[in-house]
Amino acid sequence: MGVKVPAAPHLYAVPYLPIGGIFDDRELAAVREVLTSGATLSQGVWRPRFEEAFRRYTGTRHAFSVTSGTVALHLAIHLLDLRPGDEVIATPQTYQATIQPLLDYQVTVRFADVRPDDANIDPDRVAELINERTRAVLLVHYGGAVAGMTSIMDLARRHGLLVLEDAAHALGSTLDGRRAGSLADIGCFSFHSSKNITTLGEGGMVTFDRDDWAERLERLRSNEADAVLRPARHSFGLSEAPVAGALYPGHAYTHDYVRIRRAGTNATLGEPAAAFGLVQMDRLPDLLARRQAIAGRLGEVLGRFPEVRPQQVTPGSTHAYHLFTFFVDPAAIDRDALIRELGAAGVQTYLRYFPLHLLPEWRARGHGAGECPVAERLWFGEHMNLSCQPGLSDSQVEMLGDALDRSLRKLVR
Ligand SMILES: *Cc1c(COP(=O)(O)O)cnc(C)c1O
């Protein structure tokens, strides 16, 4: 039995994000079980179960759930051990959170331009930017299209660089049978309401193989566990014997830290969210199939227009279609007019993302126009995203395809 989600009144017949996540009685039953079990709502059995399912899916040795994709990126970047003066090569075409944590470090960001056929970081540009100060590469699988990982990991191994894949769009994408999140040194996921699965609206995951990172991340994400408390005296009258070496031997209830606490945070994903996420992992193949079917339908329409390039997929990879992306030939089609035309036909569009090197925080650090000509050319005249959210109904998908067809026919010069 499906649950009816009350549709918010919407200006568009085909909204970009139709509803906040896809779920039904299975997720509700899982959350109900957590809430009525009498068990703790934090640090219980559900989070390890969700992480285990995620590890099995991505094929990584470790998977640490956290409270958002942004927090996942903050913690993952912490593990990279960046030092003042280091350089980090990053894609300019991603959501700002991919590189936002770097604002806290005295590192130089070098933006490597993207490929015109998929908007992913261009391995050739990465190669040109590597020098003796380069320490890491931060990239995204744009929209769910896997980046050129074979070349990038080859470069990284030759130059001793760490690679972080922001896989927030790419849960379910594969390269040569391996899943996104396991293609680099460390992977980050988001379970925000709009992503391929959600954990009650917000959530994230960090994936990697290294055991030393696992030990550090366990402490980083739960600020209790980085220091072990020991009672100065055994409390509650069980024993009055002072513990040897206690700092305040006169006080029964004071505790000493065995280890000094380090910088960290509490990023624990709550139990109801983890239980919800576990069911979503079960549902993921269906959600991906729906996204791919919608993308297939839109791809059919685009195939009629030589003035349009669909986003290419890296050979050997599959696309999770978090975003449906294509590029217009600006000599033949006015991109901005296409957005207006689709809007008039009831189709909402939402372009992602404004090139990061042009954002004020990065311009203030010396970045600016001309630095990544391909990313700029795509963004300002060629780049289009359409919804391929699995919550679109069949009739909405038909409307979307028809509106796209009619708008392109009208606009092609
Ligand atoms: C959504 C997203 C994030 C941030 O995830 P939140 O869970 O919203 O904090 C990071 N990177 C990319 C590419 C994203 O799309």
Side-chain angles (χ1 to χ4, degrees):
M1 275 294 287
V3 168
K4 287 248 181 315
V5 178
H10 212 288
L11 288 171
Y12 293 93
V14 186
Y16 192 84
L17 282 177
I19 62 167
I22 306 293
F23 60 91
D24 66 15
D25 288 357
R26 280 186 290 165
E27 281 86 351
L28 295 181
V31 171
R32 174 183 290 273
E33 189 182 336
V34 176
L35 294 180
T36 56
S37 66
T40 172
L41 297 183
S42 176
Q43 314 256 14
V45 298
W46 290 96
R47 190 187 59 169
R49 285 181 195 161
F50 177 43
E51 291 172 349
E52 164 66 22
F54 209 86
R55 272 200 301 278
R56 253 188 284 119
Y57 189 80
T58 53
T60 52
R61 214 168 133 68
H62 300 288
F64 283 85
S65 62
V66 292
T67 45
S68 73
T70 301
V71 166
L73 285 154
H74 272 275
L75 297 177
I77 286 172
H78 192 100
L79 293 175
L80 301 179
D81 276 331
L82 298 173
R83 304 270 171 249
D86 285 348
E87 290 193 7
V88 176
I89 297 172
T91 178
Q93 184 40 262
T94 179
Y95 180 54
Q96 49 88 9
T98 309
I99 63 166
Q100 186 187 26
L102 295 175
L103 294 170
D104 289 345
Y105 295 79
Q106 289 158 334
V107 297
T108 300
V109 173
R110 311 288 303 271
F111 288 102
D113 208 352
V114 298
R115 304 190 287 205
D117 48 359
D118 67 356
N120 273 320
I121 197 169
D122 188 333
D124 293 337
R125 302 287 87 75
V126 173
E128 289 164 6
L129 291 173
I130 294 172
N131 63 43
E132 66 283 355
R133 290 180 301 280
T134 311
R135 182 96 180 104
V137 179
L138 268 51
L139 57 84
V140 75
H141 303 300
Y142 179 79
V146 177
M149 295 309 288
T150 309
S151 317
I152 288 166
M153 292 315 293
D154 182 54
L155 279 170
R157 293 299 167 250
R158 277 194 280 130
H159 296 276
L161 314 179
L162 293 169
V163 179
L164 182 155
E165 49 175 333
D166 182 341
H169 297 173
L171 180 58
S173 299
T174 62
L175 176 64
D176 299 328
R178 290 159 58 221
R179 290 232 157 84
S182 73
L183 304 175
D185 295 288
I186 191 160
C188 292
F189 291 87
S190 164
F191 310 131
H192 179 267
S193 178
S194 63
K195 297 293 160 63
N196 291 8
I197 66 164
T198 185
T199 47
L200 281 178
E202 300 280 359
M205 191 77 79
V206 186
T207 53
F208 52 85
D209 290 334
R210 278 174 58 168
D211 294 340
D212 60 326
W213 279 356
E215 210 176 301
R216 285 176 62 194
L217 189 50
E218 187 58 59
R219 292 182 199 144
L220 273 173
R221 76 156 170 188
S222 77
N223 56 32
E224 266 306 293
D226 68 336
V228 178
L229 292 172
R230 122 189 119 168
R233 293 174 182 226
H234 294 294
S235 306
F236 307 111
L238 291 175
S239 161
E240 285 300 301
V243 172
L247 192 55
Y248 306 107
H251 298 269
Y253 300 111
T254 58
H255 291 70
D256 281 351
Y257 288 100
V258 172
R259 203 167 42 227
I260 294 168
R261 198 185 296 280
R262 283 181 280 200
T265 190
N266 180 10
T268 309
L269 191 68
E271 292 288 285
F276 194 100
L278 188 59
V279 180
Q280 290 267 294
M281 286 304 287
D282 245 20
R283 191 185 289 289
L284 179 58
D286 290 343
L287 292 173
L288 288 172
R290 178 71 182 159
R291 286 179 180 278
Q292 285 158 349
I294 297 170
R297 170 77 190 112
L298 297 175
E300 255 170 51
V301 174
L302 294 184
R304 302 170 195 154
F305 299 92
E307 302 82 1
V308 165
R309 319 190 301 278
Q311 185 188 32
Q312 294 299 297
V313 292
T314 293
S317 74
T318 62
H319 195 316
Y321 286 107
H322 174 63
L323 305 174
F324 183 82
T325 307
F326 64 96
F327 309 101
V328 303
D329 171 359
I333 297 168
D334 177 343
R335 193 272 316 265
D336 294 354
L338 178 58
I339 293 173
R340 287 194 296 273
E341 199 60 37
L342 286 166
V347 172
Q348 184 181 28
T349 50
Y350 201 117
L351 295 193
R352 296 177 179 195
Y353 301 92
F354 192 80
L356 299 190
H357 63 290
L358 303 181
L359 290 175
E361 59 269 32
W362 295 104
R363 278 193 279 127
R365 285 166 172 73
H367 299 279
E371 193 172 345
C372 296
V374 177
E376 293 166 31
R377 190 188 91 205
L378 294 182
W379 178 259
F380 290 108
E382 301 182 15
H383 181 132
M384 274 296 291
N385 297 118
L386 293 174
S387 183
C388 55
Q389 295 290 326
L392 291 176
S393 68
D394 288 348
S395 66
Q396 282 175 316
V397 174
E398 276 319 297
M399 286 173 68
L400 179 52
D402 289 349
L404 181 61
D405 186 64
R406 272 184 284 115
S407 303
L408 286 170
R409 274 181 210 288
K410 181 166 166 189
L411 290 175
V412 169
R413 289 190 270 260

